[in-house]
Each structure stands twice: as C-alpha cells, then as structure tokens.
Amino acid sequence: MKVVCFGEIMMRLNPEGYLRFAQANKFEATYAGGEANVAVSLANYGDDAAYVSAVPAHEIGQNAVNALRQYGVDTSMMLRQGPRLGIYFCEKGASQRGSKVIYDRAGSSVALSKREDYDWDKILDGADWFHFTGITPALGGELPEICMDALKACKAKGIKVSCDLNYRGKLWTREKAGEVMGQLMPYVNVCIANEEDAKDVFGIEAENTDIYGGKLDKEGYVSVAQQLKARFGFDYVAITLRGSISASDNNWSGMLYDGEKAYFAKNYLIHIVDRVGGGDSFGGGLIHAMNKWAGDCQAIIEFAVAASCLKQTTEFDFNLASEKEVLALAGGNASGRVQR
C-alpha cells in the first residue's frame, strides 16, 4: 500500500523535561507535523509512505527532510523553495498544569506555496491512499485550493482519502474552518476527529460529555459520527475519546463508525510522557489497519487506539512503535514489564 501525506513539517522546540518557557535557556530541536507524524507511523509499520511538503533550500530544511528519511519515509517529492521552515514551541504540561504550544510559522515555505507548484497527477501516481489534516488549509494562502486540487485528482484516480479535522484555533476561526472544510469533506472517505473537532468545525457536539472532567458518554459520540456521515457521506468516521484526568493521566479510547454500527476499543489509562502527536498516531494506526484488516472494524479500532496509546509514552511527535508492539498491546499485554 502506498500512502501520500501532504502538509507542513516544522521544527519543534521545547524546554528540557518539564521546564516552563519562562525557565528555559535552551531548547531541544526535533521535527514534527500532523501529516509527517502519520507518514512516520506508516513507514514504521512497513507501508510505503511518501510525504509531500515544501522546505527551504538550506541546511535546516534538509535536516527536516532527513528526520523523515531516517524512518524510511519517501521524501522524493518534497519541494525545496520558500524562505523558512515553520517552528512551534512546546511546553510539556504535568499534573494540573496543561501543555502549551506557541506557533511561529507565518510566511513559511508551505504557507507561501502556489497551486502550480504541485503536479498532483505525478505526485499521486501509484498511490492507494491520500492523507491530509485541517491544519494544512488553515495555513491560508492558496493552500485551501491546493488541497482541493489534490482531492479532485484523488477522486479521478480512485484514491481513498482520509482527513483529520484537527481544528487549530490559533490558525483560523471556527467560521472559516467550517466554510473551507465543508467544501473539502465531500471528497473524503475516512473522517478522523477528536472530542472537540466536530463541535469547533461543524457545530456537532457530543451530549452528556465532560472532556475536562474525564467523563465521556459513548452514545453521544455515536450521534456525532451519524451526523457527520449524514452531512458529508463519509464511508467511516473515527473519533478519539480522551478523558482528561490531568495533564499527566488520561483515559484513552476510540470509536469507529461504519455507517451502520459503532465499534469501541478498550480503554487505556495512560500516564503520559508526551501527548503531542497522539491523534496523528491514531490516524496512522487507523490507515494501516484499514488496509491490512479491511472490514474487521473491531480489529481496526483496537490497533489504532493501541498505537496512539504507545505514542503517548514516547518523547516528541513521532510514533516509533512497531506493528508487533501495537498488536501485543491491543491483544492485552499492557503490563509494561521489561522485555528480555
């Protein structure tokens, strides 16, 4: 299976450990991005994962490319152009103190991309699946139109499309997100969302749910999935279910709706190492499982949730779990014992 992911890769800068921004006199540098995180997950599972983006033609841009290459992601279609690589700063939360993210990505190479920069017929040659998130059109410029060009090319070629709604209030308003994403969604086969995205983007809210108190009503999310499918005609709707006990401890599960039935994964109580990228690892696990165990919705959602559980025990954005490790956790081996 060949999956093409399209988005922005950024440099992630965070203080060491659990230091706050105000305490930091040095930052650790890694690379990250919603769709890039998905591509790394897929490559780790043995899938043919390609990443499409634009980075500046200098050493920092190349370093971002190398960060993907080391995990086996195909970067041959990445563009070298534009003035800068986007940056985001991440302060890791702990206990009752939540994590914080500060963006410095305006005017990045991707944000300044033009429609003519991307030959989608060539980029998508031989692809079986295309993945993007709501973050990419949120960057503005011509990116909403670029995403639409990609989706129309996918439809013409019969390529399956997945999209993680991934609403980011620091990038655009709810009104603009609803308008743009509403135009893109009819081309999407698999919609991925979290406990807030459907509400923020489309005004569809789960009832009897308190995400900040750690209490989730499963039936409320079935209704959300049904409404999303009714509005846009998705083949599947996948929703992550996070019950936030604190910044350090979360209940974590997920749901997959196939238009007739909702399938729920087992719940994991996670003591979090790094939650950023948790949703992306869910998306990567979902795409891999949907192609490997097509039709077995319970196996698919169990794999996706287990994958994202493991990611949140790993520093930085990329999920480095193997398929074997994910299957072991999904199969019930959650003891965390030393493996010798």
Side-chain angles (χ1 to χ4, degrees), residues 2-123:
K2 180 178 179 179
V3 182
V4 174
C5 301
F6 172 58
E8 178 174 37
I9 187 166
M10 298 177 289
M11 179 184 287
R12 167 178 165 166
L13 296 174
N14 56 272
E16 291 183 301
Y18 289 92
L19 293 179
R20 304 204 68 180
F21 288 139
Q23 297 174 288
N25 55 21
K26 56 184 175 181
F27 291 83
E28 296 177 285
T30 54
Y31 295 90
E35 300 86 353
N37 299 341
V38 170
V40 170
S41 281
L42 291 167
N44 280 329
Y45 301 142
D47 296 316
D48 182 1
Y51 186 65
V52 179
S53 189
V55 297
H58 54 48
E59 290 85 350
I60 301 302
Q62 187 60 42
N63 210 15
V65 173
N66 293 346
L68 296 171
R69 282 181 174 172
Q70 69 174 312
Y71 297 112
V73 176
D74 177 2
T75 60
S76 62
M77 293 176 287
M78 290 184 68
L79 305 176
R80 267 68 164 194
Q81 62 184 41
R84 61 172 302 220
L85 193 72
I87 298 170
Y88 90 92
F89 297 84
C90 181
E91 177 187 289
K92 288 172 58 178
S95 193
Q96 281 68 44
R97 175 174 60 83
S99 298
K100 288 187 177 181
V101 168
I102 297 173
Y103 288 128
D104 178 19
R105 59 199 299 182
S108 69
S109 294
V110 171
L112 299 179
S113 294
K114 301 298 182 183
R115 293 174 72 178
E116 59 266 25
D117 294 336
Y118 299 92
D119 182 350
W120 289 110
D121 187 60
K122 179 180 178 182
I123 292 169

Side-chain angles (χ1 to χ4, degrees), residues 181-192:
M181 297 304 289
Q183 295 171 356
L184 299 175
M185 288 303 98
Y187 295 88
V188 172
N189 301 98
V190 180
C191 176
I192 304 168

